Amino acid sequence: MKKLILLLFATALFAACQQNYSRTGPEVDLVKGLFDDYHEGNWDSWMSKYADTAKIHHNLPDGKGISPAAQKDNFIALLEPLSSYKFDDDIWFEQVVTDEGETWVNVWGEWHGVIAANNKEMVIPVHLTAQVVNGMIVEEHTYYDTAGLVAELTAIAEASASATEASEEDDNDGSE
């Protein structure tokens, strides 16, 4: 009897310590679909995965967040100077149910983008966590460092501006 009580106690303790993690399920599929839509540039489908009141926090510490529509516009502007972009195939998805009963899907991966102007590949580690309620994303926090990409694009823009300025000076010198 003593062994049975210890076994039941150990089983209960083990069950109580278990976290609710999963790599599969409808919430994970929803977020995987979000990434598929991003890869394909299918922004209408991408937007349909968010609740109307969803807030997206991409590197935003202020806690206010922005709308999915505003984030879509940010993505389109960021992707415009690229000839290609994608996430690695070994992207990691994990669903967690918190002690409060909230369902979050965590994502870890590396984003690769090629700048069209110089063919340089940029690699950026990304972490995303999205809260899913009733099959819709209601909140999303994503962290990534675009400093290298921004520096490359700035250097390209500055070089282009210098070349244009030099060309205009040459045109002015030749016409006098």
Side-chain angles (χ1 to χ4, degrees), residues 122-144:
M122 305 300 297
V123 180
I124 301 173
V126 175
H127 169 63
L128 174 144
T129 187
Q131 184 182 17
V132 179
V133 175
N134 296 325
M136 302 294 284
I137 298 169
V138 297
E139 188 168 357
E140 175 182 305
H141 296 266
T142 306
Y143 302 96
Y144 47 92

Side-chain angles (χ1 to χ4, degrees), residues 97-154:
V97 178
T98 68
D99 291 342
E100 294 79 21
E102 296 176 344
T103 301
W104 290 81
V105 176
N106 296 310
V107 182
W108 295 269
E110 283 189 344
W111 177 91
H112 296 254
V114 177
I115 299 172
N118 64 4
N119 223 23
K120 183 169 184 176
E121 181 181 24
M122 305 300 297
V123 180
I124 301 173
V126 175
H127 169 63
L128 174 144
T129 187
Q131 184 182 17
V132 179
V133 175
N134 296 325
M136 302 294 284
I137 298 169
V138 297
E139 188 168 357
E140 175 182 305
H141 296 266
T142 306
Y143 302 96
Y144 47 92
D145 183 1
T146 58
L149 176 61
V150 171
E152 278 294 318
L153 295 174
T154 300

Side-chain angles (χ1 to χ4, degrees), residues 82-98:
L82 304 178
S83 59
S84 67
Y85 63 93
K86 67 178 182 110
F87 278 88
D88 278 348
D89 292 335
D90 63 346
I91 193 167
W92 182 270
F93 294 87
E94 170 191 78
Q95 174 184 304
V96 177
V97 178
T98 68

